[in-house]
Amino acid sequence: MIIEATLIGILCYLGALSSPWLLGLTGGWYLITRPLISGMLVGIILGDIKTGIMIGVAVQAVYIAMVTPGGSMPADLNFVAYPAIALGILSGKGPEVAVALAATIGIAGTILFNAMMVLNSFWNHRADVALERGDERGIYLNSAIWPQVTNFVLRFVPTFIAVYFGAQYISGFMDSLPKIVLSTMNVLGGILPAVGIAILLKQIIKNYTMLIYFLVGFVCIVFLKLNMVALVIVGSLLALIHYNYKPEPQQTANAKSVVDDDEDEF
């Protein structure tokens, strides 16, 4: 597992919030740190792509509405995306248990994220001192090199340890848990994606009557057994109908009426 743990640890670093190597946030935080993408990458590395994608989809639903305003990190999505999903695959207990593991590890990961922020303030102070002295090399080291070294150590090392040693013990540990604990984790793992979707709906829906479209999608999946391609077609049709036949705003309607009256008089 040395190679696998090393690759997952490197991906965890490359996808970190302050890692600049993959086009900054574009290729790192906003691409490979999305659980849907990282689940596939971790699945490829561990040789179980199907399970990796299934777990990635379930975990993505939990964090689909997560935002980080002002650098505030309610849960470290980077640790969710890599060590947590890797342990979920290695546990062999299915997506529900993996989601519960991911939520726990994600919250614990905020401790390391806050530690990194504290250390970065230390490097920033050293860079200010170097600036006052006119030390160009000191400015470069303390603003570019040492913060990235800190970021690498705090991302790579915990991920490597979790994957390398977790591969030996996680399956046996999960088997040793009482059934009530596993049942609880399964229930929580099933609820958390619904909570993530609910938070997303709360953010994007301004008029609660729009919830009917969400319920139509639910009916199509659960009762009509439509696949995703068919659901996209139905959703596109509903969007087209809503866009073309929604009532016009009163101001726009009045302006249009005035224009029509002027044309009639002419």
Side-chain angles (χ1 to χ4, degrees):
M1 291 295 295
I2 291 180
I3 296 176
E4 290 85 349
T6 300
L7 291 175
I8 295 174
I10 291 173
L11 286 174
C12 185
Y13 163 67
L14 292 176
L17 185 61
S18 55
S19 181
W21 308 113
L22 297 179
L23 301 176
L25 296 180
T26 303
W29 180 255
Y30 290 120
L31 183 62
I32 67 170
T33 295
R34 301 302 100 179
L36 182 61
I37 304 298
S38 66
M40 180 190 68
L41 296 176
V42 173
I44 292 173
I45 293 172
L46 296 179
D48 193 349
I49 300 177
K50 179 180 178 181
T51 302
I53 293 176
M54 291 174 61
I55 292 176
V57 169
V59 174
Q60 180 71 73
V62 178
Y63 296 95
I64 194 169
M66 192 187 84
V67 293
T68 56
S72 175
M73 188 79 72
D76 196 317
L77 190 61
N78 191 238
F79 281 109
V80 169
Y82 287 100
I85 289 181
L87 291 177
I89 295 174
L90 294 172
S91 69
K93 295 299 180 182
E96 293 82 5
V97 173
V99 167
L101 286 173
T104 304
I105 294 174
I107 295 173
T110 57
I111 298 173
L112 290 179
F113 177 79
N114 291 331
M116 184 188 71
M117 298 295 283
V118 172
L119 289 173
N120 282 345
S121 65
F122 170 74
W123 299 125
N124 185 57
H125 174 70
R126 286 174 57 100
D128 289 339
V129 173
L131 179 63
E132 293 175 356
R133 296 176 178 175
D135 183 4
E136 294 183 2
R137 182 173 181 273
I139 296 172
Y140 176 72
L141 289 175
N142 290 288
S143 62
I145 301 302
W146 299 130
Q148 286 304 312
V149 171
T150 302
N151 189 22
F152 179 81
V153 170
L154 291 179
R155 298 291 173 182
F156 177 84
V157 173
T159 302
F160 180 88
I161 293 174
V163 177
Y164 183 74
F165 292 101
Q168 304 176 41
Y169 303 113
I170 187 64
S171 181
F173 173 74
M174 297 302 294
D175 290 335
S176 66
L177 291 176
K179 289 186 177 180
I180 187 172
V181 175
L182 289 176
S183 298
T184 303
M185 295 179 71
N186 274 288
V187 172
L188 291 176
I191 293 174
L192 287 174
V195 173
I197 295 296
I199 295 174
L200 178 63
L201 292 174
K202 179 69 174 178
Q203 291 178 355
I204 65 176
I205 291 181
K206 303 302 181 183
N207 188 345
Y208 287 109
T209 60
M210 300 293 290
L211 284 172
I212 189 63
Y213 295 111
F214 175 77
L215 296 177
V216 169
F218 179 79
V219 169
C220 289
I221 290 291
V222 176
F223 297 101
L224 300 182
K225 307 297 182 182
L226 297 182
N227 57 33
M228 293 305 297
V229 175
L231 185 62
V232 168
I233 295 174
V234 173
S236 300
L237 174 62
L238 292 176
L240 180 63
I241 293 173
H242 177 79
Y243 180 78
N244 286 335
Y245 298 103
K246 66 179 180 180
E248 296 182 358
Q250 188 67 30
Q251 184 177 359
T252 304
N254 292 337
K256 184 177 179 181
S257 176
V258 171
V259 172
D260 291 341
D261 291 342
D262 292 341
E263 290 177 352
D264 293 339
E265 292 176 2
F266 178 75

